[in-house]
Amino acid sequence: MTTGDKAKPQSTPASGDIDQQALFFHRYPRPGKLEIQPTKPLGNQRDLALAYSPGVAAPCLAIKDDPESAADFTARSNLVAVVSNGTAVLGLGNIGPLASKPVMEGKAVLFKKFAGIDVFDIEIDAPTVERMVDVVSALEPTFGGINLEDIKAPECFEVERQLREKMEIPVFHDDQHGTAIIVAAAVLNGLELAGKDITKAKIVASGAGAAALACLNLLVTLGAKRENIWVHDLEGLVYKGREVLMDEWKAVYAQDSANRVLADSIGGADVFLGLSAAGVLKPELLAQMAEKPLIMALANPTPEIMPEVARAARPDAMICTGRSDFPNQVNNVLCFPHIFRGALDCGARTINEEMKMAAVRAIAGLAREEPSDVAARAYSGETPVFGPDYLIPSPFDQRLILRIAPAVAKAAAESGVATRPIQDFDAYLDKLNRFVFRSGFIMKPVFAAAKNAPKNRVIFAEGEDERVLRAAQVLLEEGTAKPILIGRPQIIETRLRRYGLRIRPDVDFEVVNPEGDPRYRDYVDEYFALVGRLGVIPEAARTIVRTNTTVIGALAVKRGEADALICGVEGRYSRHLRDVSQIIGKKPGVLDFSALSLLISQRGATFFTDTYVSYNPSAEEIAQTTVMAAGEIRRFGITPHAALVSHSNFGSRESESAAKMRAALKLVRELAPDLEVDGEMHGDAAISETLRERVMPNSTLKGEANLLVFPNLDAANITLGVVKTMTDSLHVGPILLGSALPAHILSPSVTSRGVVNMAALAVVEASHPA
C-alpha cells in the first residue's frame, strides 16, 4: 500500500514490445484495418433487383448520358484512392508495394475517421514514372480523387505533374503538399508573433526531399524570396554549379555562394526548416539565428534538435516538431482529410494553388481564434492560446474540418475548378457539424487533458488481471496516468513475463500487496470507523481489508494516497458499488449513485443512463442523473442533447412510468434551464428529428439526441446491451455519477482498451472536478 508519490516510472518499454503490440493489433480480431460495408438494404428480392439486375441498368444509362450524374448515383464522389509503389515508406525506405499496405490502410482509416471519406488503398508494382502514371491515370473512372503516398523523390514530382495533366480529378501527393500546408501556416503565425515580414525573412532548410521542396515552394507563394532561402542536403549547400545529387526541382534554390555547410548559412536566419535527420541542428548554431527564431525540427522520431535543448539555447525561440508529445505538432492529418473533403464536395477537377493557400490561411486562422465553448470544454480547462506554444491547432481540434473544407471549396469555385460549386454554405457547415460528432474521436479531448493533469494516480483493484496489466503499460507509454496496482507482486511479475509486457513492479509502477503492507492496521482502523455501525465487526474488518481489493483501493483514494479508483473488472457490480458507497460515499446533495454509459459507433457518440445502478429511480433521481450526465458529457467537448425516453410519446399514454418522466422533465428544466432536453418520447423520436416533428413540431430538442435517459434500469441496461452488440460499438463506462471522489466500476466484459479509456477519464475528473 505504498503511496502515489514515491515510485515513478523510470524505464520505457522497449520498441520491440510496441512492435509486438502492433502485430497483434493488425492481426486480431481480423487481419487489417478496413472492411467494406453496404449502404443500402439488401434484405429481400426487391432490394437485390434494385441494387443489381435489372434495376442497376437505370443509373448506368443515366451516367452514360450525363457523366456528372455519377456523383448522384454512385459512391465515386466520396471515394479516394490512396496509391503507393512503396519506394519511400515512412522511415523504412524502399520496402516495396506489398509491405507498404499497412501504411496505406492506416491512411485510409484517417480519411474515414477525420473526414468521412471512403478509401481503397491501392499498392502497385510500378517502379518507374511511366508505369505509375499509366496505372494510376487508368483509375480515374472509379475515384473522385487520388492521394499519392510514399513515392521517392525526385520521381514523385514527375508522377504528380503528369497525372495532374492527364486526369480531371484531384491528384495530391500528401508527403509534399500536406506537410507544406501545415508548415506554411506555422510560418505565417510564427513570423507574425515575431513581428517579421515573410518577404524579408531568411529561411535555412536542412533536407531537400519532396516535403522540404514543397514547403519552400509554398512559402515562396506566400511571399518568401528565393534569394533568402538556403537549402542543405547530404552534400551540403545547394549552390550554383553543383552537380552531385542535383535535379531540376532542387536547382531552383541554388545559391551563388561559397558557403557549404549549415554553420555557414545559419547566421541571421529567421526560420530553420528541418526535414532531414536527428541532431543536425547543434545548440551552438542557434546563437547565430535572428531574434525570435522559428525552429521547425520535423525529423521523426527524433527531431533535428530536441525542443528542451533548443529552448535552453534560445529561450526566445518558437519550436515545432513532428511529435505529439510536444506543442506545435506538424502532422499531415491536420489538413489532408479536410482538403479532400472540400474538393470532393464541390467536384473539384484538381487541387490547385488557390485551394492550398485557402487551407494554409484556414489553419493559421484557427490557431488565432478565440476558443469556442465546445473547444474549451474539450481541453478541460487547458485551453491553448495563440502564442509561441500554439502556432498551429491540434490535429484533433474538431473545428479543423469546419474551417478547411469550406475554405477549400470556396477557393475551388472562385478559381473555376469546381464542377458542383456549393450553393448554400450554411447548409454545408451544418452537414459538417453533424459529421464532427460522428467522427469516432470522442476520447481524444479526454486523453489530451489527462496528459497534463496534476492528479494522475489511478489505483486498480484487480491489478493481477491481464487487461489491467496491458492497460497499465499503455497508460505509462502514453503518459496518461500513474498506475497503482493492487495484487501480489510475484503474481504480477509472473504474468507480465507471460504476456510479454516490459513494465516492472516498483520500477515503472507501484504495487499494493494485500498480503503484507505496513499500513494494514491503519487501513483496518479507518475501514472499521466507516462501517462498524453497518454490521461489520472488527474481526471481519481485518479480513475484508486483507482480501477485498476494492475496499483497499477505495481506502487509498479516501486517504489521498491515490487520485481515482478503477474496479469491477472481476465480480458483481453491486458488490463493488456497496464498497464504494460505504467508503467514498456520495457528493453532498446527491440522492443516489447512477451510471452513464457511452457507446461509440459509426453514427458517433450516444450516452445512456442509468444503465447499472437504480432499479426504479424517482422523478427527482432521474432529473438529478440527467443533469450530472450532461456535465460529464461536456468533458468530452460535446454539447448534450437529452431525451427522456418512454413507451409514451408526448402524452400518448397515461401510466405511472410516463407520468414520472414528465415530472422529471419539469425538474430538469428547473435544475438546468440551459440544457437542451425534452420528453417523454419514443426512442425513435429521440433519434430522428423528422419523426419527432410529426408529433411535436415545437419540441425543445433539436436534431438527434445524444443522451438517452431511461425510466428504469431494465430499459436502460437492455437497450445498451442490444445496441452495443448490434452496432459493434465501443463501450466506454459505466461512468459512475455522484461519487464524492473519482471511482468507476467497470464490467467483467471490459477490454484493456476500455480500462485505458476509463482510467483517462478518471484522471480528468480527479484534476478537474465538476
Side-chain angles (χ1 to χ4, degrees):
M1 301 177 186
T2 54
T3 63
D5 293 327
K6 290 182 179 178
K8 297 183 181 296
Q10 297 175 3
S11 64
T12 301
S15 61
D17 187 53
I18 298 294
D19 293 343
Q20 290 302 312
Q21 291 184 45
L23 291 174
F24 184 90
F25 176 87
H26 282 79
R27 182 177 293 165
Y28 299 104
R30 54 189 295 187
K33 299 187 285 280
L34 298 172
E35 66 177 4
I36 294 175
Q37 291 279 359
T39 60
K40 298 294 190 294
L42 297 170
N44 54 47
Q45 187 62 39
R46 180 173 177 78
D47 290 343
L48 292 174
L50 292 171
Y52 194 52
S53 179
V56 74
C60 287
L61 293 173
I63 294 169
K64 177 179 176 293
D65 294 337
D66 177 14
E68 292 295 326
S69 68
D72 301 317
F73 298 124
T74 74
R76 182 175 185 262
S77 63
N78 195 51
L79 186 61
V80 166
V82 171
V83 184
S84 180
N85 64 356
T87 53
V89 181
L90 299 178
L92 305 175
N94 187 354
I95 62 174
L98 181 59
S100 77
K101 189 170 180 63
V103 178
M104 303 314 130
E105 284 189 356
K107 194 81 170 190
V109 169
L110 296 179
F111 268 107
K112 186 65 175 179
K113 289 296 185 181
F114 280 95
I117 295 171
D118 295 315
V119 167
F120 291 158
D121 64 289
I122 300 178
E123 298 75 30
I124 57 177
D125 186 4
T128 66
V129 169
E130 295 74 16
R131 175 68 171 156
M132 191 149 195
V133 170
D134 286 345
V135 172
V136 177
S137 61
L139 299 172
E140 183 168 350
T142 300
F143 295 100
I146 304 291
N147 183 91
L148 299 174
E149 194 76 15
D150 291 352
I151 306 165
K152 71 183 180 74
E155 288 87 340
C156 60
F157 301 116
E158 188 62 21
V159 168
E160 186 187 48
R161 185 187 66 77
Q162 291 189 30
L163 287 174
R164 288 171 65 114
E165 290 175 355
K166 295 184 70 171
M167 303 180 77
E168 287 291 304
I169 59 174
V171 177
F172 188 83
H173 185 205
D174 183 48
D175 296 335
Q176 294 181 57
H177 308 299
T179 302
I181 287 166
I182 303 157
V183 164
V187 169
L188 275 183
N189 283 343
L191 292 179
E192 177 179 305
L193 283 173
K196 299 177 180 179
D197 183 349
I198 193 170
T199 63
K200 300 176 182 178
K202 181 178 180 180
I203 301 168
V204 175
S206 174
L213 292 176
C215 291
L216 297 175
N217 292 341
L218 197 52
L219 291 176
V220 169
T221 303
L222 279 170
K225 303 300 182 184
R226 283 190 171 87
E227 58 267 26
N228 294 335
I229 297 174
W230 299 72
V231 181
H232 297 76
D233 61 9
L234 291 172
E235 289 293 318
L237 180 71
V238 174
Y239 61 90
K240 291 182 179 179
R242 197 181 101 176
E243 297 180 355
V244 180
L245 287 180
M246 290 296 289
D247 55 58
E248 61 180 286
W249 298 276
K250 196 183 298 184
V252 171
Y253 295 101
Q255 288 279 3
D256 187 5
S257 171
N259 291 350
R260 291 297 180 265
V261 296
L262 188 62
D264 296 334
S265 306
I266 198 75
D270 300 290
V271 178
F272 170 81
L273 174 61
L275 283 153
S276 53
V280 166
L281 184 60
K282 304 303 180 186
E284 56 269 21
L285 297 183
L286 270 62
Q288 303 177 40
M289 295 185 71
E291 182 184 359
K292 296 180 181 179
L294 174 59
I295 299 168
M296 309 200 72
L298 307 183
N300 259 328
T302 306
E304 284 80 3
I305 188 169
M306 292 298 291
E308 62 270 20
V309 176
R311 187 78 67 196
R314 287 297 299 265
D316 62 335
M318 294 169 280
I319 306 164
C320 301
T321 72
R323 292 172 50 145
S324 61
D325 51 347
F326 295 109
N328 295 323
Q329 183 194 12
V330 175
N331 186 329
N332 287 14
V333 81
L334 267 167
C335 69
F336 74 79
H338 317 309
I339 289 172
F340 268 96
R341 181 73 279 160
L344 292 172
D345 290 341
C346 70
R349 294 192 302 271
T350 186
I351 295 176
N352 57 24
E353 291 302 304
E354 292 86 350
M355 295 161 74
K356 289 191 287 184
M357 291 300 297
V360 169
R361 299 193 185 282
I363 294 169
L366 179 56
R368 304 177 197 180
E369 283 187 30
E370 289 291 328
S372 67
D373 290 343
V374 170
R377 288 196 297 269
Y379 286 101
S380 296
E382 301 294 332
T383 310
V385 177
F386 178 54
D389 288 333
Y390 190 64
L391 298 175
I392 46 179
S394 160
F396 297 102
D397 193 314
Q398 296 167 322
R399 298 167 294 169
L400 280 165
I401 193 172
L402 306 178
R403 302 295 183 272
I404 298 173
V408 167
K410 284 181 180 177
E414 291 169 359
S415 59
V417 299
T419 61
R420 301 187 306 277
I422 293 171
Q423 304 298 324
D424 187 342
F425 272 92
D426 288 338
Y428 183 53
L429 277 170
D430 182 61
K431 177 182 175 183
L432 293 176
N433 260 304
R434 290 198 302 272
F435 167 76
V436 163
F437 295 107
R438 294 181 177 178
S439 63
F441 283 92
I442 305 302
M443 290 299 300
K444 288 299 177 182
V446 173
F447 279 99
K451 285 189 176 183
N452 300 312
K455 295 184 176 182
N456 61 357
R457 300 167 302 166
V458 180
I459 192 164
F460 293 88
E462 296 89 3
E464 298 174 1
D465 189 278
E466 177 183 359
R467 292 163 292 177
V468 172
L469 294 171
R470 292 190 181 279
Q473 176 148 309
V474 172
L475 293 168
L476 286 166
E477 287 174 351
E478 297 183 352
T480 305
K482 295 178 180 177
I484 305 170
L485 272 54
I486 303 174
R488 295 160 292 179
Q490 68 276 16
I491 299 298
I492 291 175
E493 183 75 47
T494 298
R495 292 184 178 179
L496 287 170
R497 286 196 298 267
R498 181 193 306 167
Y499 304 139
L501 303 175
R502 296 183 181 273
I503 55 174
R504 289 294 171 258
D506 297 320
V507 176
D508 300 304
F509 62 91
E510 303 172 38
V511 175
V512 174
N513 182 5
E515 294 181 345
D517 186 273
R519 296 170 303 161
Y520 169 69
R521 292 184 182 277
D522 294 338
Y523 271 51
V524 170
D525 291 343
E526 184 147 359
Y527 180 62
F528 183 73
L530 293 167
V531 302
R533 293 183 179 274
L534 298 175
V536 178
I537 63 175
E539 183 179 352
R542 288 191 289 270
T543 302
I544 290 169
V545 173
R546 185 75 77 187
T547 59
N548 188 323
T549 57
T550 298
V551 167
I552 296 171
L555 287 168
V557 173
K558 180 80 170 179
R559 289 164 56 92
E561 295 164 352
D563 299 312
L565 167 67
I566 299 293
C567 61
V569 176
E570 300 169 3
R572 293 184 181 276
Y573 191 95
S574 57
R575 176 177 67 80
H576 294 285
L577 181 61
R578 177 202 63 203
D579 296 332
V580 170
S581 176
Q582 291 177 344
I583 298 169
I584 293 177
K586 299 188 292 288
K587 289 180 182 177
V590 171
L591 298 172
D592 195 7
F593 294 100
S594 56
L596 176 68
S597 288
L598 163 61
L599 291 186
I600 303 175
S601 68
Q602 291 297 325
R603 292 181 57 84
T606 307
F607 294 83
F608 300 73
T609 194
D610 172 8
T611 50
Y612 278 86
V613 178
S614 299
Y615 293 104
N616 188 21
S618 66
E620 291 78 11
E621 289 170 336
I622 289 173
Q624 192 175 72
T625 292
T626 303
V627 174
M628 288 192 296
E632 195 69 30
I633 291 170
R634 292 188 179 99
R635 292 188 189 277
F636 295 83
I638 297 174
T639 300
H641 305 282
L644 277 59
V645 294
S646 170
H647 68 284
S648 174
N649 206 25
F650 298 104
S652 65
R653 302 284 291 273
E654 291 297 332
S655 67
E656 182 179 344
S657 173
K660 179 174 71 172
M661 298 305 278
R662 285 176 219 145
L665 175 65
K666 182 178 179 182
L667 292 169
V668 170
R669 287 174 170 165
E670 293 173 359
L671 292 169
D674 295 333
L675 176 62
E676 186 177 308
V677 60
D678 208 345
E680 82 287 8
M681 69 180 75
H682 287 170
D684 55 359
I687 301 300
S688 170
E689 186 173 28
T690 302
L691 292 176
R692 192 184 320 128
E693 287 182 343
R694 291 177 184 173
V695 293
M696 186 54 62
N698 61 345
S699 172
T700 51
L701 175 65
K702 303 301 178 185
E704 182 177 318
N706 56 16
L707 170 59
L708 303 181
V709 182
F710 293 85
N712 56 51
L713 184 62
D714 278 347
N717 191 271
I718 291 169
T719 304
L720 174 71
V722 169
V723 173
K724 174 186 173 184
T725 304
M726 291 183 66
T727 60
D728 194 25
S729 298
L730 171 66
H731 180 208
V732 178
I735 303 166
L736 187 63
L737 303 177
S739 178
L741 296 168
H744 294 292
I745 305 164
L746 310 185
S747 63
S749 63
V750 71
T751 63
S752 60
R753 180 183 179 191
V755 176
V756 170
N757 286 336
M758 288 306 300
L761 184 61
V763 166
V764 174
E765 289 176 342
S767 301
H768 307 285

